[in-house]
Amino acid sequence: MSSCPSSAIYHIYDDSILNTKFMTEEISPFDCFNCNYKYIEEGDELIFCIKRFDTGKCIDGLANGMNIVVKKCLFSDEKVEDDEKLYKLRKMLKMIKMEDKIKVE
Amino acid sequence: MIEELINKSSAYYCVECRKCSSICPVTRVYGKFSPASIVERALIGIEDEVLKTGDIWKCLSCGLCHMICPSGVDFLSFIRELRNIARENGNVGITTHEGIFESMPKLLLENDIEVEWMKNAEIDDDSDVLYFAGCLPFFDVMFKEVGFDGKKIAESTVSILNKYGIKPSVIYGCCGHDAFWNGDENLFNSIVKKNMKKVREKNASKIIFSCPECYSIFKKYYPEIDAELMHISEFMARQEIKGEENGEEYTFHDSCRLGKHLGIYNEPRDVLKKVGIDIKEMEHNREMAVCCGTSTWMSCDWKSEEIRKGRIEEALKVADAMITTCPKCQIHFKCTLSHENKKLEVKDFVEVIAERIK
């Protein structure tokens, strides 16, 4: 079990604990600052946790032909759709007809 | 490589008078930054110190140093080419807004911006006049909350042209200004290639710009285009203008690109005067105007804020409303004003003109 939402997602995709920091230090829920999970590349997908969503990285991924998946934070009740950064980016992508390249889960 | 750019920019003429540092707006708020010191370090061959630090990204490329230098050192091309080399070596600076505006142009190489904006103005895709509206649609989304209205700028520009019997065609997109000044030469060249193709397809005899950055980059750094390029203020200065005296007082903020980079100071002022606006000049105006504090979406931090606060104070001494031609200047001022307890209305030149011409 992971106490950090982002690292939890990391482990779900990795099936292993890669960061020894998590094994030695206690990380509180939503302690995003200390979590080193940023994103996961899986095939042609770039997977973000909404708490660590990086707009620039996301666009660079799109420019390199990747699809984007944004996941809800496991420890948060907030909807991914309510995130301001993501909302703005999707609006911009709509202007260039690329809005379908971002999937929200 | 640095030797080559020292020659190209005439940096070896530097006499270490430090006038550049005395006038630099960044140095004024952060004494550790000094344009003179960057040149001197390059001249004595401490390449690593120049290329690996963040100093080269703090420069606003406003051009005050270039203007005051008694030896004619072209600091603007010097810093830009240093950034080219630094970028190749992994020093890419710190972008604002998570690098969204640095990355977005990459997507625009393969995709075009499509917005239905001109409901209150008329366009014609086969027009002989082209309006290059730049990144306004993206800014409109990003900066709505500080009161920026990109659509209004684009619509106002087209409605001004309509009033003089012109229905222009409109292109939205990145001009490559930021890639150019941030030393991303590959991206800049790709953007130029795409824009040149689009502009040639339009076959317009006149290209109008409302954004000083787009205009300066097309005018100074694009290959030759078989069309007349002009800023909307230059277009307006040639027209017969019927405005009404209304006693309104505004101050005018010269954007670095339209002002120091292109030397256009009189046209916007003359046009504003003709529509009845009384311009109250700030202490630093025209070629001495101070930058809005952030350039090319890089390094927006407390230094930028301090520069902006100073400029806002200067404006408030003479008027309670400011006109600028640059959408980014407007965004930056409005951003600072949104969390400062100060009231200064900031408007774009075209908004003001469109509301007043008959």
Side-chain angles (χ1 to χ4, degrees):
Chain A
M1 180 174 284
S2 168
S3 59
C4 168
S6 294
S7 66
I9 295 174
Y10 198 90
H11 304 326
I12 289 165
Y13 281 89
D14 257 9
D15 292 329
S16 61
I17 296 168
L18 295 178
N19 186 359
T20 52
K21 188 178 177 188
F22 295 131
M23 299 171 73
T24 54
E25 287 179 31
E26 193 175 329
I27 294 173
S28 308
F30 312 116
D31 189 6
C32 300
F33 187 73
N34 288 315
C35 167
N36 81 340
Y37 164 78
K38 284 198 172 110
Y39 55 85
I40 295 160
E41 280 186 47
E42 209 177 56
D44 66 346
E45 283 185 342
L46 203 53
I47 304 164
F48 290 92
C49 159
I50 190 62
K51 293 272 180 198
R52 299 290 296 269
F53 182 64
D54 183 319
T55 325
K57 180 73 200 165
C58 170
I59 300 172
D60 283 343
L62 288 171
N64 291 325
M66 301 191 84
N67 291 310
I68 308 298
V69 178
V70 186
K71 288 184 176 283
K72 186 179 183 296
C73 170
L74 298 181
F75 281 77
S76 168
D77 292 329
E78 288 167 37
K79 285 183 184 168
V80 173
E81 286 82 353
D82 292 341
D83 184 79
E84 195 189 334
K85 274 200 291 183
L86 186 62
Y87 170 76
K88 285 180 174 177
L89 179 63
R90 288 173 104 185
K91 241 180 142 177
M92 283 189 243
L93 291 175
K94 197 173 176 188
M95 290 175 175
I96 53 173
K97 300 200 181 327
M98 286 188 80
E99 70 271 32
D100 60 333
K101 295 281 179 189
I102 293 193
K103 207 163 72 182
V104 170
E105 288 182 359
Chain B
M1 274 200 289
I2 285 200
E3 276 172 26
E4 196 184 318
L5 82 92
I6 286 171
N7 286 330
K8 267 165 68 180
S9 60
S10 306
Y12 51 82
Y13 284 134
C14 174
V15 290
E16 299 179 27
C17 67
R18 298 201 157 234
K19 280 191 173 179
C20 52
S21 296
S22 70
I23 202 168
C24 172
V26 181
T27 311
R28 281 188 185 184
V29 296
Y30 180 66
K32 286 180 182 171
F33 174 80
S34 153
S37 149
I38 297 177
V39 173
E40 285 159 20
R41 280 181 284 167
L43 285 171
I44 59 171
I46 320 175
E47 292 193 8
D48 273 8
E49 275 197 32
V50 178
L51 293 172
K52 290 185 180 169
T53 64
D55 273 8
I56 55 168
W57 300 105
K58 291 186 180 88
C59 167
L60 299 167
S61 58
C62 69
L64 269 175
C65 53
H66 183 66
M67 201 191 64
I68 204 167
C69 178
S71 308
V73 176
D74 184 356
F75 189 78
L76 289 176
S77 72
F78 177 77
I79 201 80
R80 182 175 56 75
E81 299 219 16
L82 270 180
R83 287 176 178 177
N84 283 337
I85 302 168
R87 184 171 285 277
E88 280 167 19
N89 290 291
N91 178 5
V92 295
I94 299 166
T95 53
T96 60
H97 306 285
E98 293 187 348
I100 190 165
F101 295 115
E102 196 182 48
S103 299
M104 212 44 148
K106 295 172 196 166
L107 292 183
L108 293 178
L109 293 177
E110 302 295 332
N111 305 276
D112 291 324
I113 300 175
E114 287 177 32
V115 283
E116 297 285 329
W117 266 10
M118 297 301 161
K119 285 179 183 146
N120 300 314
E122 290 180 274
I123 56 168
D124 172 6
D125 285 339
D126 299 319
S127 176
D128 191 38
V129 178
L130 168 66
Y131 166 43
F132 190 90
C135 295
L136 286 173
F138 289 157
F139 297 168
D140 193 72
V141 173
M142 278 297 284
F143 304 107
K144 266 271 189 275
E145 71 269 22
V146 297
F148 178 77
D149 191 342
K151 184 183 170 200
K152 197 169 182 186
I153 294 175
E155 233 173 23
S156 299
T157 306
V158 175
S159 74
I160 289 170
L161 294 172
N162 287 171
K163 280 178 185 159
Y164 291 94
I166 297 167
K167 293 178 190 172
S169 62
V170 182
I171 290 180
Y172 302 96
C174 175
C175 65
H177 171 276
D178 297 348
F180 179 79
W181 285 103
N182 286 340
D184 196 342
E185 218 162 67
N186 291 336
L187 180 59
F188 175 67
N189 290 335
S190 303
I191 293 168
V192 170
K193 201 173 156 191
K194 180 180 176 178
N195 284 337
M196 287 300 286
K197 186 171 177 278
K198 284 173 80 172
V199 163
R200 281 181 183 135
E201 278 168 7
K202 287 286 180 188
N203 200 24
S205 67
K206 204 173 269 170
I207 307 175
I208 306 276
F209 301 85
S210 56
C211 171
E213 292 194 347
C214 297
Y215 182 41
S216 71
I217 210 82
F218 263 79
K219 186 123 178 156
K220 291 179 82 173
Y221 305 104
Y222 267 49
E224 205 174 317
I225 296 172
D226 191 19
E228 189 182 10
L229 310 182
M230 55 168 71
H231 186 255
I232 186 72
S233 64
E234 292 178 297
F235 170 84
M236 286 297 294
R238 292 186 191 176
Q239 310 304 317
E240 194 183 319
I241 301 168
K242 287 178 191 161
E244 283 173 5
E245 282 285 338
N246 49 31
E248 282 180 289
E249 291 182 352
Y250 282 87
T251 189
F252 185 77
H253 169 77
D254 293 274
S255 85
C256 303
R257 267 55 186 173
L258 199 62
K260 286 181 274 293
H261 285 225
L262 290 167
I264 298 171
Y265 301 106
N266 293 332
E267 287 83 348
R269 285 175 170 82
D270 291 347
V271 173
L272 288 165
K273 202 175 165 190
K274 281 184 192 170
V275 297
I277 285 169
D278 186 9
I279 298 284
K280 299 286 176 193
E281 295 288 359
M282 283 183 262
E283 184 188 345
H284 298 93
N285 60 68
R286 295 175 184 259
E287 58 274 6
M288 293 309 285
V290 179
C291 174
C292 69
T294 310
S295 170
T296 65
W297 304 114
M298 295 292 285
S299 310
C300 185
D301 54 18
W302 67 267
K303 297 186 278 298
S304 318
E305 281 283 307
E306 285 304 309
I307 295 167
R308 268 196 286 285
K309 281 186 211 165
R311 193 67 174 149
I312 289 168
E313 287 292 336
E314 231 184 279
L316 285 170
K317 278 182 191 165
V318 292
D320 51 17
M322 174 200 270
I323 295 170
T324 179
T325 51
C326 178
K328 285 189 190 171
C329 293
Q330 187 190 146
I331 290 164
H332 295 142
F333 285 126
K334 282 188 168 170
C335 175
T336 296
L337 287 161
S338 70
H339 52 80
E340 283 290 306
N341 191 23
K342 299 217 163 41
K343 275 199 172 171
L344 177 73
E345 194 184 2
V346 187
K347 283 188 161 187
D348 193 278
F349 171 80
V350 289
E351 282 178 58
V352 177
I353 298 298
E355 284 164 9
R356 283 160 184 81
I357 51 171
K358 304 290 174 194

